[in-house]
Short mmCIF file of all heavy atoms in Angstrom, two decimals:
data_model
loop_
_atom_site.label_atom_id
_atom_site.label_comp_id
_atom_site.label_asym_id
_atom_site.label_seq_id
_atom_site.Cartn_x
_atom_site.Cartn_y
_atom_site.Cartn_z
N LEU F 1254 57.36 237.82 -68.43
CA LEU F 1254 57.90 237.56 -69.76
C LEU F 1254 57.53 238.66 -70.74
O LEU F 1254 58.26 238.90 -71.70
CB LEU F 1254 57.43 236.19 -70.27
CG LEU F 1254 57.93 234.99 -69.48
CD1 LEU F 1254 57.37 233.70 -70.06
CD2 LEU F 1254 59.44 234.95 -69.43
N GLY F 1255 56.44 239.34 -70.52
CA GLY F 1255 56.04 240.45 -71.37
C GLY F 1255 56.98 241.63 -71.30
O GLY F 1255 56.98 242.49 -72.18
N GLU F 1256 57.79 241.69 -70.24
CA GLU F 1256 58.73 242.80 -70.05
C GLU F 1256 60.13 242.49 -70.58
O GLU F 1256 61.03 243.31 -70.45
CB GLU F 1256 58.83 243.14 -68.55
CG GLU F 1256 57.51 243.57 -67.94
CD GLU F 1256 57.58 243.70 -66.43
OE1 GLU F 1256 58.71 243.73 -65.87
OE2 GLU F 1256 56.51 243.75 -65.80
N LEU F 1257 60.32 241.30 -71.18
CA LEU F 1257 61.66 240.92 -71.63
C LEU F 1257 62.10 241.66 -72.89
O LEU F 1257 63.26 241.61 -73.24
CB LEU F 1257 61.73 239.41 -71.87
CG LEU F 1257 61.70 238.53 -70.64
CD1 LEU F 1257 61.85 237.06 -71.03
CD2 LEU F 1257 62.78 238.90 -69.64
N GLY F 1258 61.18 242.31 -73.55
CA GLY F 1258 61.55 243.12 -74.70
C GLY F 1258 61.82 242.30 -75.95
O GLY F 1258 60.92 242.01 -76.70
N ASP F 1259 63.05 241.92 -76.17
CA ASP F 1259 63.47 241.29 -77.42
C ASP F 1259 63.31 239.77 -77.42
O ASP F 1259 63.69 239.11 -78.38
CB ASP F 1259 64.94 241.66 -77.70
CG ASP F 1259 65.22 241.77 -79.17
OD1 ASP F 1259 64.26 241.87 -79.95
OD2 ASP F 1259 66.40 241.73 -79.54
N ALA F 1260 62.77 239.20 -76.38
CA ALA F 1260 62.64 237.74 -76.28
C ALA F 1260 61.52 237.23 -77.19
O ALA F 1260 60.53 237.90 -77.41
CB ALA F 1260 62.34 237.34 -74.84
N THR F 1261 61.72 236.02 -77.70
CA THR F 1261 60.69 235.34 -78.47
C THR F 1261 60.12 234.26 -77.57
O THR F 1261 60.87 233.45 -77.00
CB THR F 1261 61.28 234.71 -79.75
OG1 THR F 1261 61.86 235.74 -80.53
CG2 THR F 1261 60.20 234.00 -80.55
N ILE F 1262 58.79 234.24 -77.45
CA ILE F 1262 58.15 233.30 -76.53
C ILE F 1262 57.09 232.51 -77.28
O ILE F 1262 56.27 233.10 -77.99
CB ILE F 1262 57.50 234.06 -75.35
CG1 ILE F 1262 58.58 234.84 -74.60
CG2 ILE F 1262 56.77 233.09 -74.43
CD1 ILE F 1262 58.07 235.93 -73.73
N ALA F 1263 57.12 231.20 -77.14
CA ALA F 1263 56.09 230.33 -77.71
C ALA F 1263 55.43 229.57 -76.56
O ALA F 1263 56.12 228.97 -75.73
CB ALA F 1263 56.71 229.35 -78.70
N MET F 1264 54.12 229.63 -76.52
CA MET F 1264 53.38 228.90 -75.49
C MET F 1264 52.52 227.84 -76.17
O MET F 1264 51.77 228.16 -77.10
CB MET F 1264 52.50 229.85 -74.68
CG MET F 1264 53.33 230.76 -73.82
SD MET F 1264 52.46 232.02 -72.86
CE MET F 1264 50.92 231.38 -72.50
N ILE F 1265 52.66 226.63 -75.73
CA ILE F 1265 51.85 225.53 -76.22
C ILE F 1265 50.96 225.13 -75.06
O ILE F 1265 51.45 224.73 -74.00
CB ILE F 1265 52.73 224.35 -76.68
CG1 ILE F 1265 53.70 224.83 -77.75
CG2 ILE F 1265 51.87 223.20 -77.18
CD1 ILE F 1265 54.84 223.89 -78.02
N MET F 1266 49.68 225.25 -75.27
CA MET F 1266 48.74 225.01 -74.18
C MET F 1266 47.91 223.76 -74.46
O MET F 1266 47.51 223.51 -75.59
CB MET F 1266 47.85 226.23 -73.99
CG MET F 1266 48.65 227.49 -73.68
SD MET F 1266 47.68 229.00 -73.68
CE MET F 1266 46.87 228.82 -72.11
N ASN F 1267 47.71 222.99 -73.40
CA ASN F 1267 46.85 221.81 -73.44
C ASN F 1267 47.37 220.74 -74.40
O ASN F 1267 46.59 220.07 -75.08
CB ASN F 1267 45.41 222.21 -73.78
CG ASN F 1267 44.41 221.30 -73.12
OD1 ASN F 1267 44.66 220.75 -72.07
ND2 ASN F 1267 43.26 221.14 -73.75
N ALA F 1268 48.68 220.57 -74.46
CA ALA F 1268 49.28 219.54 -75.31
C ALA F 1268 49.07 218.17 -74.68
O ALA F 1268 49.07 218.05 -73.45
CB ALA F 1268 50.78 219.81 -75.49
N LYS F 1269 48.91 217.16 -75.49
CA LYS F 1269 48.74 215.80 -74.97
C LYS F 1269 50.05 215.33 -74.36
O LYS F 1269 51.13 215.59 -74.87
CB LYS F 1269 48.30 214.86 -76.07
CG LYS F 1269 46.89 215.11 -76.52
CD LYS F 1269 46.46 214.11 -77.56
CE LYS F 1269 45.03 214.44 -77.98
NZ LYS F 1269 44.58 213.57 -79.06
N SER F 1270 49.93 214.63 -73.24
CA SER F 1270 51.10 214.12 -72.53
C SER F 1270 50.77 212.75 -71.96
O SER F 1270 49.75 212.58 -71.31
CB SER F 1270 51.46 215.07 -71.39
OG SER F 1270 52.38 214.50 -70.50
N GLN F 1271 51.66 211.79 -72.20
CA GLN F 1271 51.46 210.45 -71.63
C GLN F 1271 51.58 210.49 -70.12
O GLN F 1271 50.86 209.81 -69.41
CB GLN F 1271 52.48 209.47 -72.21
CG GLN F 1271 52.23 209.14 -73.65
CD GLN F 1271 53.25 208.14 -74.19
OE1 GLN F 1271 54.32 207.98 -73.63
NE2 GLN F 1271 52.89 207.48 -75.27
N LYS F 1272 52.49 211.31 -69.63
CA LYS F 1272 52.77 211.38 -68.19
C LYS F 1272 51.68 212.14 -67.42
O LYS F 1272 51.31 211.74 -66.32
CB LYS F 1272 54.13 212.07 -68.00
CG LYS F 1272 54.62 212.16 -66.58
CD LYS F 1272 56.00 212.80 -66.55
CE LYS F 1272 56.50 213.05 -65.17
NZ LYS F 1272 57.80 213.71 -65.16
N MET F 1273 51.17 213.24 -68.03
CA MET F 1273 50.27 214.13 -67.29
C MET F 1273 48.84 214.18 -67.86
O MET F 1273 48.00 214.84 -67.28
CB MET F 1273 50.85 215.55 -67.29
CG MET F 1273 52.21 215.68 -66.67
SD MET F 1273 52.90 217.33 -66.84
CE MET F 1273 51.82 218.30 -65.79
N GLY F 1274 48.60 213.55 -68.97
CA GLY F 1274 47.30 213.68 -69.63
C GLY F 1274 47.35 214.86 -70.60
O GLY F 1274 47.35 214.71 -71.80
N HIS F 1275 47.41 216.07 -70.03
CA HIS F 1275 47.59 217.30 -70.80
C HIS F 1275 48.57 218.19 -70.05
O HIS F 1275 48.65 218.14 -68.82
CB HIS F 1275 46.26 218.04 -71.00
CG HIS F 1275 45.39 217.36 -72.01
ND1 HIS F 1275 44.49 216.37 -71.67
CD2 HIS F 1275 45.30 217.51 -73.35
CE1 HIS F 1275 43.87 215.96 -72.76
NE2 HIS F 1275 44.35 216.61 -73.80
N LYS F 1276 49.30 219.01 -70.79
CA LYS F 1276 50.30 219.88 -70.18
C LYS F 1276 50.48 221.12 -71.03
O LYS F 1276 50.02 221.20 -72.16
CB LYS F 1276 51.64 219.16 -70.05
CG LYS F 1276 52.30 218.85 -71.41
CD LYS F 1276 53.62 218.15 -71.26
CE LYS F 1276 54.24 217.83 -72.62
NZ LYS F 1276 55.52 217.17 -72.50
N ASP F 1277 51.14 222.11 -70.46
CA ASP F 1277 51.55 223.31 -71.19
C ASP F 1277 53.07 223.29 -71.32
O ASP F 1277 53.77 222.68 -70.51
CB ASP F 1277 51.15 224.59 -70.45
CG ASP F 1277 49.64 224.84 -70.45
OD1 ASP F 1277 48.90 224.06 -71.09
OD2 ASP F 1277 49.21 225.82 -69.81
N ILE F 1278 53.58 223.96 -72.35
CA ILE F 1278 55.01 224.09 -72.59
C ILE F 1278 55.28 225.55 -72.96
O ILE F 1278 54.50 226.15 -73.69
CB ILE F 1278 55.48 223.19 -73.76
CG1 ILE F 1278 55.12 221.72 -73.50
CG2 ILE F 1278 56.97 223.36 -74.02
CD1 ILE F 1278 55.23 220.84 -74.73
N ILE F 1279 56.36 226.11 -72.45
CA ILE F 1279 56.75 227.47 -72.82
C ILE F 1279 58.20 227.42 -73.32
O ILE F 1279 59.07 226.89 -72.63
CB ILE F 1279 56.66 228.46 -71.64
CG1 ILE F 1279 55.24 228.50 -71.08
CG2 ILE F 1279 57.09 229.87 -72.09
CD1 ILE F 1279 55.09 229.36 -69.83
N LYS F 1280 58.43 227.98 -74.51
CA LYS F 1280 59.78 228.11 -75.06
C LYS F 1280 60.12 229.60 -75.02
O LYS F 1280 59.35 230.43 -75.49
CB LYS F 1280 59.85 227.61 -76.50
CG LYS F 1280 59.72 226.12 -76.64
CD LYS F 1280 59.91 225.71 -78.09
CE LYS F 1280 60.00 224.22 -78.24
NZ LYS F 1280 60.36 223.85 -79.62
N ILE F 1281 61.28 229.91 -74.46
CA ILE F 1281 61.70 231.31 -74.31
C ILE F 1281 63.07 231.47 -74.94
O ILE F 1281 64.05 230.90 -74.46
CB ILE F 1281 61.76 231.72 -72.82
CG1 ILE F 1281 60.45 231.37 -72.12
CG2 ILE F 1281 62.08 233.20 -72.70
CD1 ILE F 1281 60.55 231.33 -70.62
N GLU F 1282 63.15 232.24 -76.01
CA GLU F 1282 64.43 232.56 -76.65
C GLU F 1282 64.90 233.86 -76.02
O GLU F 1282 64.30 234.92 -76.22
CB GLU F 1282 64.25 232.73 -78.15
CG GLU F 1282 65.50 233.22 -78.85
CD GLU F 1282 66.23 232.11 -79.59
OE1 GLU F 1282 65.61 231.14 -80.01
OE2 GLU F 1282 67.46 232.26 -79.73
N CYS F 1283 65.93 233.76 -75.16
CA CYS F 1283 66.45 234.94 -74.44
C CYS F 1283 67.84 234.61 -73.92
O CYS F 1283 68.22 233.44 -73.86
CB CYS F 1283 65.53 235.32 -73.29
SG CYS F 1283 65.44 234.08 -71.98
N PRO F 1284 68.61 235.62 -73.52
CA PRO F 1284 69.92 235.34 -72.94
C PRO F 1284 69.79 234.51 -71.66
O PRO F 1284 68.84 234.69 -70.89
CB PRO F 1284 70.48 236.73 -72.63
CG PRO F 1284 69.72 237.67 -73.50
CD PRO F 1284 68.36 237.06 -73.67
N LEU F 1285 70.74 233.59 -71.46
CA LEU F 1285 70.73 232.79 -70.24
C LEU F 1285 70.90 233.69 -69.03
O LEU F 1285 71.60 234.69 -69.09
CB LEU F 1285 71.83 231.73 -70.30
CG LEU F 1285 71.70 230.71 -71.42
CD1 LEU F 1285 72.82 229.68 -71.33
CD2 LEU F 1285 70.35 230.01 -71.39
N GLY F 1286 70.25 233.33 -67.94
CA GLY F 1286 70.30 234.14 -66.73
C GLY F 1286 69.16 235.13 -66.63
O GLY F 1286 69.01 235.81 -65.62
N THR F 1287 68.33 235.22 -67.66
CA THR F 1287 67.23 236.18 -67.69
C THR F 1287 66.06 235.73 -66.83
O THR F 1287 65.36 236.54 -66.25
CB THR F 1287 66.74 236.38 -69.15
OG1 THR F 1287 67.85 236.78 -69.94
CG2 THR F 1287 65.66 237.41 -69.24
N ILE F 1288 65.85 234.42 -66.73
CA ILE F 1288 64.69 233.86 -66.04
C ILE F 1288 65.06 233.53 -64.60
O ILE F 1288 66.09 232.92 -64.34
CB ILE F 1288 64.19 232.58 -66.76
CG1 ILE F 1288 63.86 232.87 -68.21
CG2 ILE F 1288 63.00 231.97 -66.04
CD1 ILE F 1288 62.79 233.91 -68.42
#
């Protein structure tokens, strides 16, 4: 993801989750097909 250049990336780490206890989430603003 560091090589995507113009992409905006948000990482949420150790968020509370009813299903998992704690989880991470990554939001990636980029053209579709990039990942």
